[in-house]
């Protein structure tokens, strides 16, 4: 469902951020701006009231009959400051107001006013019921020149409604800036949509295609960022899985074919012997064929088990130091019977009396056995097979060279494939499984070494593989 998607959560988080930002400006921001305005305006009024209290005109007229000049002077300041100015006598009674005029002989008593309890230099409120609206009031005493006696007070009243208007004006600017920022930040959402959300949708579609078995599907992303790298990795994974699937299908088909052919021969000959189709005097010949097919099945099964063990145990090999020259001699000796029958000579050209390498001895012996078996199988009678060891830069090179039928150039890349049999050379080999060189390749790769082949059709073939020389 859409409400569970990352994109939906991102939009919700974005909207919540916008609402929270607006609420914070409207509440916390408003409070901070109002507090700052109060302090700023109160400071300005206090400085102005202090200046007024020290003015000679105020000093001379707080006890005089003529306050008209003083009212005109203060009215100008009142208009400039947008504040009503009062002069109080030393009893705390109002004798002059820039709004209502002056009343020296009939001062206005302010109920509840007590300057000794004033506290801070400013207050907000209706100033003891004197106003219909809240005011910001600042009180400064008028003292004589020695500052010993209080002769009166200067009070300045600034309407809070004007302060609120300033606050709202500043907040309006904040709202506009926040709105501009919020709209501009939509580009982040747009960037997220283009760079992250849409590519993730394509990747999700790709994974769904892979889950449905469509491993040939390619995710259409080519960007160089992490999302593009992820898509490239998934495309590579699907290609590998597709190749593995194709390999498995071919593997099963090859196994089926290689098992079906000898089983069909065995079944046919056994049934023919059982029902008397093959006469008694000919049964020995066909039983030899059956035995040969059984050997072929046994060899195929053994090779498959070997490959399986290599794949399962490739990381737990028994690596140790051993004499490769000795292993070569022992392996060559095991083929003495088949070589003698065909008058094939195995020539050994070995470096030193002993040459120690570090590897899994049993597996390397399997490599030598498979390569030598191949060389004998495809060598001409009365030919020579050469096994040679050389050492260079801490690496031992082992070469197995025959003078047989050779491998066509176009077939060289395929010889490592499982069950591959080149028609012109392998078609005559009824006991071949097509797994020998695959086993060799698996073993050499498991040792992190290399194997190469050089072959000319009609001349011969040479396999060369490397091993790590023992350090001690």
């Amino acid at each position: 469902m859409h409400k569970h998607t990352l994109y939906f959560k991102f939009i919700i988080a974005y909207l919540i951020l916008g609402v929270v930002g607006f609420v914070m400006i409207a509440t916390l921001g408003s409070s901070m701006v109002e507090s700052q305005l109060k302090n700023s305006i109160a400071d300005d009024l206090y400085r102005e009231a202090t200046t007024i209290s020290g003015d000679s005109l105020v000093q001379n007229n707080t006890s005089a009959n003529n306050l008209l000049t003083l009212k005109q002077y203060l009215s100008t300041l009142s208009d400039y400051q947008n504040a009503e100015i009062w002069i109080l006598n030393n009893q705390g009674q109002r004798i002059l107001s820039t709004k209502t005029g002056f009343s020296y002989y009939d001062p206005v008593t302010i109920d509840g006013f007590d300057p000794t309890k004033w506290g801070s230099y400013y207050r907000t409120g209706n100033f003891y019921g004197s106003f219909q609206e809240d005011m910001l009031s600042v009180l400064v005493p008028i003292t004589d020149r020695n500052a010993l006696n209080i002769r009166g007070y200067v009070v300045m009243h600034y309407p809070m409604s004007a302060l609120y208007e300033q606050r709202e004006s500043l907040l309006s600017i904040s709202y506009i800036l926040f709105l501009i920022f919020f709209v501009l930040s939509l580009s982040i959402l747009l960037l997220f949509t283009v760079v992250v959300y849409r590519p993730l949708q394509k990747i999700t579609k790709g994974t769904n295609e892979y889950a449905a078995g469509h491993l040939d599907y390619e995710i259409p992303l080519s960007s160089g960022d992490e999302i593009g790298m992820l898509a490239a990795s998934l495309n590579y994974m699907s290609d590998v899985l597709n190749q593995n699937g194709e390999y498995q299908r071919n593997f099963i088909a090859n196994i089926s074919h290689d098992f079906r052919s000898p089983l069909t021969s065995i079944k046919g000959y056994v049934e023919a012997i059982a029902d008397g189709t093959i006469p008694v005097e000919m049964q020995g010949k066909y039983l030899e064929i059956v035995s040969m097919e059984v050997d072929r099945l046994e060899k195929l099964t053994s090779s498959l088990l070997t490959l399986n063990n290599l794949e399962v145990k490739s990381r737990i090999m028994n690596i140790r130091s051993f004499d490769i020259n000795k292993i070569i001699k022992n392996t060559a000796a095991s083929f003495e019977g088949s070589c003698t029958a065909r008058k094939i000579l195995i020539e050994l050209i070995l470096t030193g009396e002993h040459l120690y390498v570090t590897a899994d001895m049993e597996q390397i012996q399997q490599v030598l056995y498979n390569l030598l078996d191949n060389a004998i199988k495809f060598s001409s009678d009365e030919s020579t097979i050469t096994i040679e060891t050389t050492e260079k830069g801490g690496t031992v090179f082992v070469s197995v060279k025959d003078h047989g039928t050779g491998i066509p150039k176009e077939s060289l890349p395929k010889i490592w494939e499982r069950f591959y049999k080149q028609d012109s050379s392998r078609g005559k080999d009824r006991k071949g499984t097509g797994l020998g060189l695959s086993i060799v390749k698996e073993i050499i790769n498991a040792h992190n070494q290399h194997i190469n082949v050089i072959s000319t059709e009609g001349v011969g073939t040479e396999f060369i593989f490397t091993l790590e020389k023992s350090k001690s």
Side-chain angles (χ1 to χ4, degrees):
M1 297 176 64
H2 289 294
K3 66 180 181 179
H4 297 305
T5 64
L6 179 65
Y7 190 64
F8 181 81
K9 292 176 182 177
F10 190 86
I11 293 177
I12 292 298
Y14 183 79
L15 293 177
I16 290 175
L17 178 65
V19 172
V20 169
F22 180 83
V23 171
M24 288 185 67
I25 292 177
T27 55
L28 182 61
S30 176
S31 175
M32 293 175 64
V33 169
E34 182 177 329
S35 176
Q36 182 65 29
L37 284 174
K38 281 182 182 179
N39 292 331
S40 177
I41 293 174
D43 289 343
D44 288 344
L45 294 178
Y46 185 80
R47 284 193 295 270
E48 192 64 45
T50 301
T51 301
I52 293 172
S53 69
D55 190 275
S56 59
L57 189 61
V58 174
Q59 294 279 334
N60 296 331
N61 283 284
T62 53
S63 58
N65 293 329
N66 189 6
L67 296 175
L68 179 61
T69 304
L70 179 60
K71 180 180 182 300
Q72 292 174 344
Y73 164 66
L74 294 179
S75 294
T76 302
L77 293 176
S78 174
D79 294 337
Y80 177 76
Q81 292 289 341
N82 190 29
E84 186 175 342
I85 303 174
W86 289 1
I87 300 295
L88 309 182
N89 60 22
N90 56 4
Q91 301 298 316
Q93 297 172 315
R94 187 180 72 197
I95 61 174
L96 186 148
S97 168
T98 55
K99 183 176 181 182
T100 60
F102 50 88
S103 52
Y104 182 79
Y105 295 107
D106 187 19
V108 178
T109 301
I110 303 172
D111 295 334
F113 175 69
D114 185 357
T116 62
K117 298 180 180 180
W118 183 259
S120 176
Y121 68 94
Y122 78 90
R123 282 186 177 182
T124 58
N126 59 10
F127 200 77
Y128 306 100
S130 301
F131 296 97
Q132 297 297 319
E133 63 172 324
D134 287 343
M135 308 289 283
L136 190 157
S137 303
V138 172
L139 175 70
V140 174
I142 302 172
T143 62
D144 57 18
R145 295 190 180 278
N146 296 322
L148 297 176
N149 300 313
I150 295 178
R151 304 178 62 184
Y153 300 93
V154 177
V155 185
M156 298 186 70
H157 303 286
Y158 186 86
M160 290 297 291
S161 59
L163 185 147
Y164 295 149
E165 288 180 2
Q166 292 186 53
R167 180 194 67 188
E168 294 306 316
S169 177
L170 292 174
L171 286 178
S172 296
I173 297 174
S174 299
Y175 289 136
I176 293 172
L177 290 175
F178 178 76
L179 180 61
I180 293 173
F181 172 79
F182 189 74
V183 172
L184 290 177
S185 64
L186 285 173
S187 59
I188 299 176
L189 183 61
L190 179 62
L191 182 65
F192 175 82
T193 302
V194 174
V195 176
V196 178
Y197 178 64
R198 289 180 179 172
L200 282 179
Q201 280 188 317
K202 295 178 180 179
I203 290 175
T204 301
K205 181 182 178 182
T207 56
N208 290 333
E209 291 288 340
Y210 300 153
H214 305 148
L215 296 176
D216 56 343
Y217 179 82
E218 184 173 349
I219 301 174
L221 278 178
S222 59
S223 60
D225 55 16
E226 288 81 355
I227 297 291
M229 293 173 62
L230 174 60
S233 298
L234 289 173
N235 286 331
Y236 175 74
M237 179 196 71
S238 67
D239 289 339
V240 172
L241 290 175
N242 197 25
Q243 291 174 7
N244 287 341
E246 185 66 28
Y247 165 76
Q248 289 176 358
R249 288 188 290 271
N250 293 335
F251 184 81
I252 293 173
N254 287 328
I255 289 179
S256 300
H257 176 269
D258 278 50
F259 270 92
R260 187 185 301 114
S261 298
L263 286 174
T264 301
S265 297
I266 293 171
K267 181 174 181 294
Y269 291 135
V270 170
E271 288 178 350
I273 292 173
D275 63 18
T277 302
I278 297 177
V280 176
E281 63 274 11
M282 298 291 292
Q283 289 179 4
K285 173 185 176 182
Y286 290 100
L287 285 175
E288 288 181 4
I289 298 176
V290 169
S291 176
M292 183 181 68
E293 296 292 358
V294 170
D295 288 343
R296 181 182 174 190
L297 285 175
E298 182 182 9
K299 187 174 182 180
L300 177 60
T301 303
S302 176
S303 297
L304 289 172
L305 290 174
T306 300
L307 278 174
N308 182 66
N309 290 333
L310 287 174
E311 291 173 350
V312 173
K313 300 180 180 179
S314 60
R315 296 186 181 273
I316 53 175
M317 296 184 296
N318 183 18
I319 302 296
R320 63 187 187 277
S321 178
F322 61 92
D323 183 5
I324 186 64
N325 288 348
K326 181 179 178 181
I327 298 301
I328 291 173
K329 292 173 184 177
N330 292 340
T331 305
S334 66
F335 286 94
E336 184 177 349
S338 56
C339 288
T340 301
R342 296 178 54 194
K343 298 181 180 181
I344 295 176
L345 174 65
I346 299 180
E347 180 184 17
L348 303 182
I349 306 177
L350 307 179
T351 299
E353 183 177 355
H354 302 285
L355 182 58
Y356 286 90
V357 296
T358 300
D360 186 309
M361 187 177 72
E362 286 74 18
Q363 291 190 15
I364 298 304
Q365 193 168 17
Q366 179 75 54
V367 168
L368 288 168
Y369 184 92
N370 287 3
L371 292 178
L372 192 52
D373 182 53
N374 256 22
I376 294 171
K377 194 179 299 177
F378 300 110
S379 288
S380 305
D381 293 347
E382 300 181 0
S383 62
T384 301
I385 296 174
T386 303
I387 304 177
E388 182 178 359
T389 58
T390 55
E391 184 268 327
K392 183 178 181 181
T395 300
V396 173
F397 296 84
V398 181
S399 166
V400 179
K401 182 177 181 180
D402 65 59
H403 299 84
T405 57
I407 304 171
K409 185 177 180 179
E410 64 273 11
S411 299
L412 283 175
K414 303 176 183 178
I415 62 173
W416 310 111
E417 297 177 6
R418 297 180 183 183
F419 298 104
Y420 176 74
K421 294 181 182 182
Q422 202 277 324
D423 292 338
S424 63
S425 61
R426 300 231 181 217
K428 302 177 290 184
D429 176 28
R430 301 215 16 108
K431 290 186 179 181
T433 64
L435 295 173
L437 292 180
S438 296
I439 293 173
V440 168
K441 187 72 169 178
E442 292 279 352
I443 293 174
I444 297 301
N445 286 345
H447 283 76
N448 294 320
Q449 296 298 321
H450 306 283
I451 183 167
N452 295 312
V453 58
I454 303 170
S455 185
T456 302
E457 194 171 6
V459 175
T461 302
E462 180 180 13
F463 287 92
I464 305 171
F465 65 91
T466 62
L467 292 173
E468 179 186 353
K469 184 182 179 182
S470 296
K471 297 181 181 178
S472 60

